[in-house]
Amino acid sequence: GAGGAEIVMSPEDRERQAILSVRALKFAVPVKNLITCYLLGPTVLGECGSERVCIPWLNLLLLVLDLSVFSVHLFLAMKQKTYREHITMYNFYILLGFWSLWNLCSHPLCRQYMLDLFAVSPPEVHVTINIVATAICSSFVMPPPTLKHLIGLVTGEFLVSLALSSVEVLNFHVDGGWLSAVRLDIVMFNVAILLIGSTIIIGTMTVEKDIKSLAHEMETRLGPSGSFEDDLERRKRAVLTALCDAVLTTNSSFLVTGSEEGADRIFRRSMLNETLTDYLKDQVERDKFLTAVRKQFPDDGAVGEGPKRMRVALRDNNNEPFEADVVVSDASTDENGKVNKYMVGMHIRGEFRARALDEQRRQHGGALGTPAERRHAKDAATAAVAA
């Protein structure tokens, strides 16, 4: 935002905004490339106005450079998540470079006395380029990273155009053709656009200030985002605890950072600071488990399958094997949207489960501990009565 401050967005919001920008670029870049070929192509083919300086090979070089930069920008934004994460900054530098170039080269003063890249284009091409560039950087097609960047970009380009037009009107005696007829119009147009643009930017700053005030008020009432994420994690844990025999919290490498009595009883030791994958039965089970987790929560930014139940073979601290139905859930994510904490729920199967429940009964005088255990005991009793 203005002054370098930005509204804090979640990784999901930033990714959604980047995807929207990429969709717009898929349409805008091909159209822009066709227009660039139309404007620069005639000079490349040898056309040039009377009393103008034209360099076809330079036109060709600039044409290839323009098409290449925008096409590569679109390709990388489509294919690489890390590039999309910084797409607004790349937008700013690309616009700064090429808008400055075409703004300078399309001005009638430069076309008359220096170099004419637009051999068959009317003088209005300068005004058109500024209008289109302003619309592109002010929309979601190629937005700069902050409002400060937008203000500096738009204001700077129009000041350059205004300065060139002022020099032309005050200090040069041009021929009596089309250049003399439009020079004052261009100055007035630049002034008008600069005033309109300033009004729009000031209005945008006011809206952004209102949004920030609203966001601050919501945070004051609801608590900071960290508190919300902690509450969401607690709710996920409560759901898994109600449905599973054991719940473990791990980091992205499956180092256990949170354990509970059910898990410690099943594995016959405290699982805190242990690596969960070390307690899978063998290397084959580890590979199968990690492959399934990568499909559910990919690291490359692709859309994953989400939490799914999987059957795995584990072992306890005494190397006794047992089977369990496991669900891996994303407990939290980092600022880039990558999962940095997992919550693993386990439902034990077979004879190992019965033995674990017997131990729990002995420890608690016959009362089952977890909600899942009480639910399974109730189901077993109901089945026995029915039989």
Side-chain angles (χ1 to χ4, degrees), residues 243 245 347 353 357 371-381:
L243 298 176
D245 300 313
H347 173 74
R353 172 183 174 76
L357 293 181
E373 291 167 347
R374 292 194 296 271
R375 176 169 51 82
H376 286 297
K378 182 179 178 181
D379 292 344

Side-chain angles (χ1 to χ4, degrees), residues 143-186:
T146 66
L147 190 59
K148 178 181 179 181
H149 288 81
L150 176 61
I151 294 172
L153 183 63
V154 174
T155 305
E157 295 301 332
F158 276 103
L159 286 177
V160 169
S161 179
L162 183 61
L164 290 172
S165 299
S166 301
V167 169
E168 176 193 352
V169 170
L170 297 175
N171 298 317
F172 285 88
H173 299 286
V174 296
D175 56 27
W178 55 269
L179 186 57
S180 299
V182 301
R183 60 187 183 182
L184 186 58
D185 293 340
I186 290 178

Side-chain angles (χ1 to χ4, degrees), residues 1 29 36 48 87 98 100 117-118 121 151 153 163 167 219 262 346 380:
V29 168
T36 304
C48 189
I87 190 172
F98 283 96
S100 299
L117 300 178
F118 308 90
S121 301
I151 294 172
L153 183 63
V167 169
E219 183 173 315
M346 299 181 185

Side-chain angles (χ1 to χ4, degrees), residues 37-48 54-61 63 116-117 119-120:
C37 291
Y38 172 78
L39 293 175
L40 300 181
T43 303
V44 173
L45 298 177
E47 296 188 32
C48 189
C54 300
I55 307 177
W57 67 263
L58 181 59
N59 263 57
L60 178 61
L61 178 63
L63 176 62
D116 191 1
L117 300 178
V120 297

Side-chain angles (χ1 to χ4, degrees), residues 10 39 66 69 74 92 105 108 131 146 181 207 217 225-226 234-235 251 267 288 293 304 361 372 384:
S10 67
L39 293 175
D66 183 286
V69 169
L74 173 59
F92 174 74
C105 293
I131 293 176
T146 66
V207 171
E217 182 180 353
S225 59
R234 285 193 295 269
R235 290 174 183 271
N251 63 11
F267 287 96
K288 183 177 73 172
V293 172
R361 288 191 188 96

Side-chain angles (χ1 to χ4, degrees), residues 322-337:
F322 64 95
E323 286 190 339
D325 290 332
V326 172
V327 175
V328 180
S329 175
D330 51 330
S332 65
T333 57
D334 60 18
E335 60 182 8
N336 297 319

Side-chain angles (χ1 to χ4, degrees), residues 58-296:
L58 181 59
N59 263 57
L60 178 61
L61 178 63
L62 294 176
L63 176 62
V64 172
L65 180 64
D66 183 286
L67 300 183
S68 300
V69 169
F70 280 92
S71 299
V72 170
H73 178 58
L74 173 59
F75 177 80
L76 292 177
M78 292 170 56
K79 298 298 182 181
Q80 293 189 5
K81 181 182 178 181
T82 54
Y83 189 88
R84 285 198 302 272
E85 291 172 353
H86 302 92
I87 190 172
T88 54
M89 185 58 70
Y90 296 132
N91 288 342
F92 174 74
Y93 287 120
I94 291 173
L95 285 172
L96 177 63
F98 283 96
W99 190 359
S100 299
L101 176 64
W102 302 137
N103 186 25
L104 179 65
C105 293
S106 66
H107 194 278
L109 179 66
C110 297
R111 294 178 64 185
Q112 174 77 6
Y113 290 97
M114 296 175 62
L115 178 66
D116 191 1
L117 300 178
F118 308 90
V120 297
S121 301
E124 288 80 11
V125 68
H126 175 72
V127 172
T128 304
I129 287 174
N130 282 323
I131 293 176
V132 172
T134 303
I136 287 175
C137 68
S138 301
S139 67
F140 55 83
V141 178
M142 290 187 71
T146 66
L147 190 59
K148 178 181 179 181
H149 288 81
L150 176 61
I151 294 172
L153 183 63
V154 174
T155 305
E157 295 301 332
F158 276 103
L159 286 177
V160 169
S161 179
L162 183 61
L164 290 172
S165 299
S166 301
V167 169
E168 176 193 352
V169 170
L170 297 175
N171 298 317
F172 285 88
H173 299 286
V174 296
D175 56 27
W178 55 269
L179 186 57
S180 299
V182 301
R183 60 187 183 182
L184 186 58
D185 293 340
I186 290 178
V187 174
M188 297 306 298
F189 182 83
N190 283 330
V191 172
I193 289 295
L194 193 59
L195 292 175
I196 294 173
S198 301
T199 303
I200 294 174
I201 289 171
I202 292 173
T204 306
M205 292 171 60
T206 304
V207 171
E208 184 174 2
K209 183 178 179 181
D210 293 340
I211 293 175
K212 287 180 179 178
S213 299
L214 179 61
H216 178 72
E217 182 180 353
M218 291 178 64
E219 183 173 315
T220 302
R221 291 183 178 182
L222 301 179
S225 59
S227 300
F228 175 77
E229 291 174 359
D230 292 342
D231 183 62
L232 184 61
E233 183 178 333
R234 285 193 295 269
R235 290 174 183 271
K236 286 184 177 181
R237 173 176 283 279
V239 172
L240 285 176
T241 301
L243 298 176
C244 301
D245 300 313
V247 179
L248 294 171
T249 303
T250 75
N251 63 11
S252 58
S253 302
F254 291 100
L255 178 69
V256 178
T257 58
S259 183
E260 41 91 52
E261 183 183 354
D264 296 344
R265 186 178 68 250
I266 290 169
F267 287 96
R268 295 177 179 268
R269 63 156 299 144
S270 172
M271 290 299 290
L272 193 63
N273 298 323
E274 293 291 315
T275 302
L276 178 61
T277 50
D278 291 344
Y279 289 85
L280 292 166
K281 183 179 178 181
D282 50 35
Q283 187 60 42
V284 174
E285 286 293 321
R286 280 191 283 273
D287 292 341
K288 183 177 73 172
F289 175 78
L290 293 175
T291 299
V293 172
R294 280 194 292 269
K295 287 183 179 179
Q296 295 173 23

